[in-house]
Amino acid sequence: MKNVDDIKSKHTKLRLILGDQLNADHSWFKELNADNLYVLMEIRSETDYVKHHIQKVVGIFTAMRQFAEQLQNAGHKVVYLKISDSINKQDFGENLRFLINRFKIKEIEIQEPDEYRLQVYFLNLKSTLNKNIHFFDSEHFITKKTELKEFFAGKKQTLMESFYRHLRNKHQVLMDGENPAGGKWNYDAYNRKKLPKKHTPPPPLLFEHNVEQVYKEVLEQNVKTLGEIDPRRFSWPINKQESIQLFDYFLEYLLPHFGDYQDALSEEFWSIYHSRISFSLNLKMLSPKWILKRIESHWRNNQDTIDISQAEGFIRQILGWREFMRGIYWREMPQYESLNHLSAQRKLPRYFWTGKTKMQCLKRAINQSLKHGYAHHIQRLMVTGNFCALAGINPDEVDDWYLGIYMDAFQWVEITNTRGMSQYADGGIVGTKPYVSSASYMHKMGDHCVNCQYDRKIKIGDKACPFNSLYWHFINRNQDKLQNNPRMGMMYKVWNKMENQEDILNQAELHLKNIESL
């Protein structure tokens, strides 16, 4: 790749590309124009706002470098600032000022950032840089930022299902005319099976990239990270071509049972039937519109081997949850990131950074996250997230952990899932109830309990699973805020009839007092 000194000519226009804007199909790149200078930057302000997984930092930088090379090979003029470059000011604004002076730039174009903090940053920069700055659509999402807000205006509830059906009909996704394909809108009831005994899913498709140079530069710059990496065998896709390859593998080998086992928990298999395309998708190496067309076409052409419940379950994640969560984010920010409806204040236990806990389900989910930078949605929601909600962990700490540890985590998609869906810190904006459970759910969906030091059947005593008493402690301490929730009423009826409430609450308090040793 060329650096600043390799480019001699002046340029009228600078086009900034952020690390999660690697969309090769963007209209910016359809024509070659010698006046346009494309700029990508690896900077400390992006690595340091939260402690990220080492694979996430290395993966994003590697994908950015690949993207810059592809642009350059296509004939575009590109400046790339590496994290280790001596001229790198490690800040968007300072680097832009330098480049403006160096290349006599007259105007700047930026694709709209997806994170609120960057939107505020660039709007402020626009007022202080004394240059024409124009914002463009990233041409990635199916909905506009304000579409959810406009759709639910005047409505009492903001239900994902309503928005999902609206989008299915509007964009004619999995539809037969005005009716949903198969006669039903939602096949979630078919998507809740645990893996059968001795059932072996196909192995995940893993790439083997040597990213030692990028890894070395990140270490030399003393970027603080978490998690593990084998820099000689980096397993994630780093460009559009590999991302397509990963998705094709999903269609061929994993989709036939994706819906069946998308909620399953497993001791042995870390990816099960999941596509693992979220890293590619959130960096915009893949288009959600393209994905939806491919998956519907694949299902329609293979209905003898793929049930509609498999395809609909996946489409619901992309067209339903992903677009819904983004819409909530832009409707509710910035106040959303400070919501703490249940007044949770406890610190996140140290084993979230080490994986050293006796709770097998938690141990498995955390260690997998540290090793791969990945966990599927039920591990995030009903294992780690469930425990944090039951234990009353401060949502600020929960947000930072989730935002840092996962390859696919950017605030627009992370915070509404954690502070909203997982922790109920938003008081019901996203979820109609808190998504919490005792050990029974873990046993129902997987095999973690078989290898655990705790007993899933016991609420009280040294061998009692902490999830059991903590569940009822959560129910009890939040009664004033939750008892009138129609989806929680049954649990309060059960709780109010229990004769050993005091013993259960004392057991929970003991767990919370000794939370670091659970």
Side-chain angles (χ1 to χ4, degrees), residues 134-187:
H134 305 286
F135 293 93
F136 289 78
D137 194 291
S138 66
E139 301 176 7
H140 172 78
F141 291 96
I142 295 164
T143 59
K144 301 297 183 182
K145 283 182 177 179
T146 59
E147 189 165 340
L148 178 138
K149 180 179 180 179
E150 293 163 359
F151 178 78
F152 286 107
K155 296 183 173 71
K156 291 183 179 180
Q157 284 188 304
T158 305
L159 295 176
M160 188 281 289
E161 185 67 21
S162 301
F163 195 54
Y164 171 52
R165 294 184 184 189
H166 161 70
L167 294 179
R168 286 266 301 274
N169 191 44
K170 177 180 178 180
H171 298 282
Q172 285 297 292
V173 177
L174 211 62
M175 298 289 291
D176 292 329
E178 297 181 356
N179 301 311
K184 296 181 65 171
W185 288 100
N186 189 311
Y187 289 83

Side-chain angles (χ1 to χ4, degrees), residues 400-417:
D400 284 350
W401 186 79
Y402 276 91
L403 185 56
I405 200 167
Y406 292 118
M407 297 291 295
D408 56 12
F410 294 89
Q411 194 193 47
W412 67 267
V413 70
E414 172 273 326
I415 196 170
T416 44
N417 274 289

Side-chain angles (χ1 to χ4, degrees), residues 270-285:
W270 67 275
S271 60
I272 315 180
Y273 285 92
H274 291 273
S275 69
R276 297 169 37 251
I277 63 166
S278 52
F279 174 67
S280 296
L281 194 57
N282 291 352
L283 263 60
K284 302 181 180 59
M285 295 188 290

Side-chain angles (χ1 to χ4, degrees), residues 500-518:
N500 58 341
Q501 286 185 356
E502 186 175 353
D503 292 336
I504 292 173
L505 295 177
N506 287 339
Q507 179 66 67
E509 289 289 348
L510 186 62
H511 285 320
L512 292 173
K513 181 181 178 181
N514 300 300
I515 193 169
E516 292 288 355
S517 60
L518 292 180

Side-chain angles (χ1 to χ4, degrees), residues 241-455:
Q241 293 72 29
E242 290 179 352
S243 300
I244 291 173
Q245 186 180 346
L246 184 64
F247 186 64
D248 285 345
Y249 183 87
F250 168 72
L251 290 180
E252 185 69 23
Y253 299 105
L254 305 177
L255 179 60
H257 287 299
F258 165 77
D260 293 334
Y261 305 123
Q262 65 171 294
D263 285 4
L265 300 169
S266 174
E267 279 285 288
E268 185 176 358
F269 306 108
W270 67 275
S271 60
I272 315 180
Y273 285 92
H274 291 273
S275 69
R276 297 169 37 251
I277 63 166
S278 52
F279 174 67
S280 296
L281 194 57
N282 291 352
L283 263 60
K284 302 181 180 59
M285 295 188 290
L286 288 180
S287 159
K289 295 176 183 177
W290 177 85
I291 288 171
L292 292 173
K293 288 180 181 178
R294 285 289 311 280
I295 197 164
E296 179 171 353
S297 174
H298 189 78
W299 166 71
R300 289 190 183 277
N301 291 329
N302 295 276
Q303 294 184 53
D304 54 332
T305 57
I306 302 174
D307 188 75
I308 190 174
S309 63
Q310 321 297 335
E312 189 279 324
F314 190 84
I315 286 171
R316 192 180 342 118
Q317 289 189 358
I318 304 297
L319 185 61
W321 272 116
R322 190 170 188 262
E323 296 291 332
F324 179 75
M325 290 301 196
R326 176 174 178 262
I328 292 289
Y329 179 80
W330 285 108
R331 189 186 74 174
E332 301 295 332
M333 285 293 283
Q335 64 273 14
Y336 196 87
E337 61 185 345
S338 61
L339 297 179
N340 191 356
H341 180 68
L342 300 181
S343 303
Q345 297 298 335
R346 191 166 279 104
K347 289 185 66 64
L348 193 69
R350 285 192 296 271
Y351 43 77
F352 272 73
W353 309 98
T354 67
K356 296 178 180 178
T357 171
K358 292 178 286 187
M359 292 174 282
Q360 188 62 23
C361 57
L362 210 58
K363 180 179 180 179
R364 174 67 178 169
I366 294 172
N367 278 291
Q368 174 184 309
S369 301
L370 292 169
K371 182 176 181 180
H372 297 288
Y374 171 84
H376 69 70
H377 64 280
I378 292 299
Q379 289 177 300
R380 301 188 199 195
L381 176 65
M382 297 306 300
V383 182
T384 50
N386 183 18
F387 179 80
C388 288
L390 296 181
I393 307 300
N394 189 313
D396 291 346
E397 299 211 3
V398 180
D399 282 342
D400 284 350
W401 186 79
Y402 276 91
L403 185 56
I405 200 167
Y406 292 118
M407 297 291 295
D408 56 12
F410 294 89
Q411 194 193 47
W412 67 267
V413 70
E414 172 273 326
I415 196 170
T416 44
N417 274 289
T418 55
R419 194 172 289 255
M421 186 72 173
S422 171
Q423 301 303 294
Y424 203 71
D426 66 359
I429 294 173
V430 169
T432 54
K433 71 177 183 69
Y435 280 82
V436 291
S437 77
S438 63
S440 61
Y441 180 86
M442 257 62 75
H443 174 65
K444 175 184 176 184
M445 296 310 303
D447 55 358
H448 296 313
C449 298
V450 176
N451 301 307
C452 191
Q453 295 187 42
Y454 295 108
D455 191 329

Side-chain angles (χ1 to χ4, degrees), residues 55-79:
Q55 291 187 45
K56 183 181 181 183
V57 176
V58 170
I60 292 175
F61 285 0
T62 303
M64 288 172 65
R65 295 183 187 192
Q66 286 259 320
F67 189 76
E69 286 188 7
Q70 290 175 357
L71 287 182
Q72 189 171 284
N73 291 338
H76 298 286
K77 295 291 175 54
V78 180
V79 163

